[in-house]
Structures are given as structure tokens and as C-alpha cells.
Amino acid sequence: MTTVLHRAAHWHRPLMLFVSTMAVLAVVCAVGLAADPRVLTGVPIWLKPLKFSLSFVVYGATLAWMLSLLPRRSRVAEWAGTVVVAVGLVEMTVIVGQVLRGRTSHYNESTPFDAALWQLMGAAIMVLFAAHLVIGIVLVRQPLADRVARCAVGFGLGLTLLGMLVAVPMVLPGQAPDVEGIAGAHSVGVPDGGPGLPLLGWSTTGGDLRIGHFVGLHALQAMPILALLLHRWADRLDERTRLRLLAVAGVAYGVFTVLLTWQALRGQPLLGPDALTLAALAVLLVATATAAGATLARRRRPDLALVA
């Protein structure tokens, strides 16, 4: 374990230092949850920075690991990783600072200062998107020794960009609630801060755009994990079959992310889909199972593939 941690510390030093900082901040936020009784928009005031800090821990560590896979050093990718760190620090400084002031950080334009902070966060996210895109291009263009790993990394990075994009409706003019000083919302059909799922806070009475956003972002971990699981069956599945299965999973994951966002935009809670949403989900499941089944039916055993 010590050896693994030592290696991880050298993946991308700014990113790993950022990950360590966010891990410490997560502990501070957890203490805040227990010690600070304040509630903001219907949830404990320290819950938002806790979720964001944990998200940055997972995102930063995964990104640093992916950069370590490059066969040769890329200054462009390393600089992009450092930009991600800078953006993350700006984002978390605003979020924690607003918590200390007892004010909401997102969508808040109630005062010129609050509006400036919200606009700063919006600009920072755009920079993060660009830096993530640069890292994705570099990783895809430099061929990795393991083609399956390269495919998983490519899908993970691409689907994460999709996860960022599906959050755009949260800040569109049509999503602005009829509340003075508030520009944007994550709930659809109901006010923000209403009844929600435990810990996650996703609305249980209306649509919630955070769901598709969350699922899309975590493709960064889901796709490499799937590649690792497929590797466990490497004695039964040849490389081409594993690549095809990853492609099927990646496409299905992307469609599922869009489906969740579509459901939210129609004002439906995650656990209360209508017949049309259920039908779309059923079509996706059947299509995915059919494609995966056809891929497995065409597979060749590795030993036979070598002979061929």
C-alpha cells in the first residue's frame, strides 16, 4: 500500500497535492455538518462543499492516473492538469467562502459581490472544460500500450465532457426561477431546496438536472473500472471483443446520461418516471443487451485468435 501511495504521489504533483487538500477539506466539511446547525436552500449548509470536495478528490486522482499512462511526457497535458487545479481552487474558495458568509454560491446574483462570485465560478468552469478537453485530446492522440485501456480512457474523458455539457440548462434564461436575485436552478418544475433523496439531495418532487450531470461526470471512473473487469476475463475474451464491449457500454452510458437529463427537463423526479421515459429506458436496455450479446456471440478465444 505504501508503494502504491508513493507512486500515486508522483503521477501529477499539482493534481495529487490538490487531491490531498480536497480530502482534508472534506473532513473539515464533515465536521461542519455535525457542528454547524445552519440550513441553506433546505439542506445543511456544509453539504455542498462536502460533495464538491469529495467530487474533486475522485476527479483529480483519476485525471492524474490517466496522465501517468502517457508513454511519453506531454507538457501541454501537464499544464492543462495544473489549470484544472487552479480552477478547482477558485471554485472551492468561492463555495467555502460563501458558506462562511451564510450565503449560497450558485445562481446567486442578489448583490453585486455575490453576482461577481457567481460569474467567476461560471468562467472557471468554462476554463476547466477547455483544460479537460486538451487532456482528452493528448491522451487519445498518444497511443497507449494497452488498446483496451486507451479506449476506456477515451470514453471516460469524452463522456465526462458530456456530463459537463448537460449541466448547461441549469443556467439558461428559461431555468431562472421567479425569485429576485437568483439566476438559474437545478430543479425543474419545483423550487430548489424542496424534498430530496438522502445525502444526494436530488429532488423527489420534480426534475433535477444534477442527476445526468453526476452520472456523466463519473464515466471518468466507470469506464476504466469496466475495462479492468473485462481484463479479469482476458482468458475468455480476445482484445477485439473487449474493445467492442467497451464501445457498446460507452455509447449506452452516453445515451443514459442524455435520457436522465431529458427526464429532468420534463419535470420528472428520478424515481417517478412516466411511461414515455420508461419506454425509452427499455429500448436502451434492449439495444444494449442485444449489441453486447451479438459481440459475445462473435467472440474468439484468445488462443484461437493467436493461431489465426
Side-chain angles (χ1 to χ4, degrees), residues 219-303:
L220 197 66
Q221 294 80 41
M223 296 306 296
I225 289 174
L226 176 58
L228 181 63
L229 292 174
L230 289 174
H231 182 71
R232 294 178 64 89
W233 284 280
D235 58 331
R236 300 179 185 178
L237 301 176
D238 61 282
E239 184 183 71
R240 181 180 298 179
T241 299
R242 284 180 281 149
L243 284 170
R244 288 174 175 171
L245 287 174
L246 268 176
V248 169
V251 172
Y253 199 105
V255 174
F256 183 58
T257 300
V258 173
L259 191 155
L260 289 172
T261 304
W262 175 61
Q263 177 185 359
L265 287 170
R266 290 160 57 230
Q268 298 173 29
L270 177 65
L271 303 181
D274 65 6
L276 183 59
T277 301
L278 289 174
L281 178 60
V283 170
L284 174 60
L285 291 174
V286 171
T288 303
T290 301
T295 298
L296 290 173
R298 296 172 57 186
R299 74 185 187 278
R300 295 181 297 172
R301 291 183 60 87
D303 51 347

Side-chain angles (χ1 to χ4, degrees), residues 109-298:
E109 294 185 346
S110 56
T111 69
F113 182 68
D114 290 321
L117 290 178
W118 170 229
Q119 291 167 9
L120 175 62
M121 292 178 68
I125 290 301
M126 292 177 63
V127 175
L128 175 63
F129 181 92
H132 183 98
L133 177 60
V134 169
I135 292 173
I137 292 173
V138 171
L139 279 164
V140 171
R141 291 188 63 183
Q142 288 198 28
L144 306 182
D146 188 333
R147 291 175 61 200
V148 177
R150 181 188 182 190
C151 179
V153 167
F155 266 112
L157 288 164
L159 290 169
T160 299
L161 287 174
L162 175 63
M164 296 179 188
L165 287 174
V166 297
V168 170
M170 297 185 194
V171 296
L172 293 179
Q175 189 61 7
D178 189 19
V179 179
E180 185 178 356
I182 300 298
H186 50 70
S187 297
V188 179
V190 294
D192 280 354
L197 294 175
L199 185 60
L200 295 170
W202 297 338
S203 177
T204 54
T205 56
D208 200 313
L209 294 165
R210 292 175 296 181
I211 302 171
H213 179 54
F214 175 89
V215 171
L217 290 182
H218 287 289
L220 197 66
Q221 294 80 41
M223 296 306 296
I225 289 174
L226 176 58
L228 181 63
L229 292 174
L230 289 174
H231 182 71
R232 294 178 64 89
W233 284 280
D235 58 331
R236 300 179 185 178
L237 301 176
D238 61 282
E239 184 183 71
R240 181 180 298 179
T241 299
R242 284 180 281 149
L243 284 170
R244 288 174 175 171
L245 287 174
L246 268 176
V248 169
V251 172
Y253 199 105
V255 174
F256 183 58
T257 300
V258 173
L259 191 155
L260 289 172
T261 304
W262 175 61
Q263 177 185 359
L265 287 170
R266 290 160 57 230
Q268 298 173 29
L270 177 65
L271 303 181
D274 65 6
L276 183 59
T277 301
L278 289 174
L281 178 60
V283 170
L284 174 60
L285 291 174
V286 171
T288 303
T290 301
T295 298
L296 290 173
R298 296 172 57 186

Side-chain angles (χ1 to χ4, degrees), residues 28-145:
V28 173
C29 293
V31 173
L33 274 178
D36 192 340
R38 290 180 298 166
V39 174
L40 189 64
T41 62
V43 296
I45 198 168
W46 285 98
L47 183 59
K48 182 183 290 290
L50 175 61
K51 292 194 294 186
F52 269 76
S53 57
L54 290 175
S55 179
F56 271 125
V57 166
V58 177
Y59 176 74
T62 307
L63 212 56
W65 167 72
M66 287 181 172
L67 287 172
S68 74
L69 299 177
L70 287 172
R72 60 182 181 275
R73 182 180 177 185
S74 169
R75 289 186 179 275
V76 173
E78 289 181 359
W79 273 106
T82 304
V83 169
V84 169
V85 172
V87 169
L89 289 174
V90 170
E91 188 90 359
M92 292 308 301
T93 298
V94 173
I95 292 174
V96 174
Q98 288 293 75
V99 166
L100 294 175
R101 296 178 64 225
R103 303 180 69 84
T104 181
S105 53
H106 287 65
Y107 320 123
N108 188 356
E109 294 185 346
S110 56
T111 69
F113 182 68
D114 290 321
L117 290 178
W118 170 229
Q119 291 167 9
L120 175 62
M121 292 178 68
I125 290 301
M126 292 177 63
V127 175
L128 175 63
F129 181 92
H132 183 98
L133 177 60
V134 169
I135 292 173
I137 292 173
V138 171
L139 279 164
V140 171
R141 291 188 63 183
Q142 288 198 28
L144 306 182

